[in-house]
Amino acid sequence: MEKCDAMVDVGRRRFLTGATLGAAGVAAATMLPRAAEAATPSQGSALVTYPANRLGNVQDLVLNKVPGGVGPDQDIVGFSTTCPHKGFPLAYNSGDKTLNCPGHYSRFDCERGGQQVWGHATQNLPQYVLRVDDKGDIYAEGVDELLYGRLSNVL
């Protein structure tokens, strides 16, 4: 019986060794083409260009001081209003200027770049990259993190 037990152990070892080497080989094979693409910046593979979307005009906004914002007073910011934890819609609390999730009670500070201050979420709110032109029109031109439920932010 010892011979059978030993053969089972050898079989497991060989299987695990082979599976590990196979997984490493697959990982290396998938990473090498990406590394080669990243090494050639002329192709633009690392830069994603987003279409600019007009959101409104500066004159239509009620202004508060917000660090990291755009506009004449650097106080215009935009965040995703979907919780990055489970995708619940967020509600704005004007008392403490946070976006709050009704699902698992995550809270995000709008005056500190959408930083999570409480709850189950494991990341801060995605913040939109904004631009204000000379007429005061506000444009969204990108986002700094992955939006909930997407594999890519590019449509």
Side-chain angles (χ1 to χ4, degrees):
M1 285 199 195
E2 288 181 35
K3 194 170 191 180
C4 289
D5 290 338
M7 290 303 288
V8 170
D9 287 341
V10 170
R12 286 184 196 153
R13 284 189 198 118
R14 282 188 181 165
F15 172 77
L16 291 174
T17 301
T20 302
L21 291 174
V26 169
T30 58
M31 294 305 287
L32 288 176
R34 289 182 185 160
E37 289 174 9
T40 56
S42 62
Q43 294 175 349
S45 61
L47 178 64
V48 175
T49 305
Y50 292 92
N53 293 309
R54 184 180 179 280
L55 302 176
N57 193 284
V58 173
Q59 295 175 354
D60 302 331
L61 301 176
V62 177
L63 303 176
N64 290 313
K65 295 285 182 188
V66 179
V70 298
D73 298 320
Q74 303 296 304
D75 56 358
I76 302 168
V77 294
F79 300 101
S80 169
T81 57
T82 302
C83 183
H85 175 236
K86 292 287 184 180
F88 284 91
L90 300 174
Y92 183 69
N93 180 339
S94 60
D96 61 1
K97 298 180 183 172
T98 59
L99 284 166
N100 302 317
C101 178
H104 297 101
Y105 310 110
S106 291
R107 297 175 63 221
F108 304 91
D109 191 336
C110 295
E111 292 188 323
R112 295 188 182 194
Q115 181 180 18
Q116 179 190 351
V117 294
W118 181 261
H120 287 80
T122 58
Q123 71 181 50
N124 298 328
L125 280 181
Q127 185 171 355
Y128 292 101
V129 177
L130 302 177
R131 175 180 59 86
V132 177
D133 68 8
D134 4 343
K135 296 184 284 184
D137 289 333
I138 305 164
Y139 293 89
E141 298 185 328
V143 65
D144 68 352
E145 293 190 39
L146 191 62
L147 297 171
Y148 176 81
R150 293 190 178 218
L151 300 175
S152 169
N153 286 336
V154 180
L155 296 176

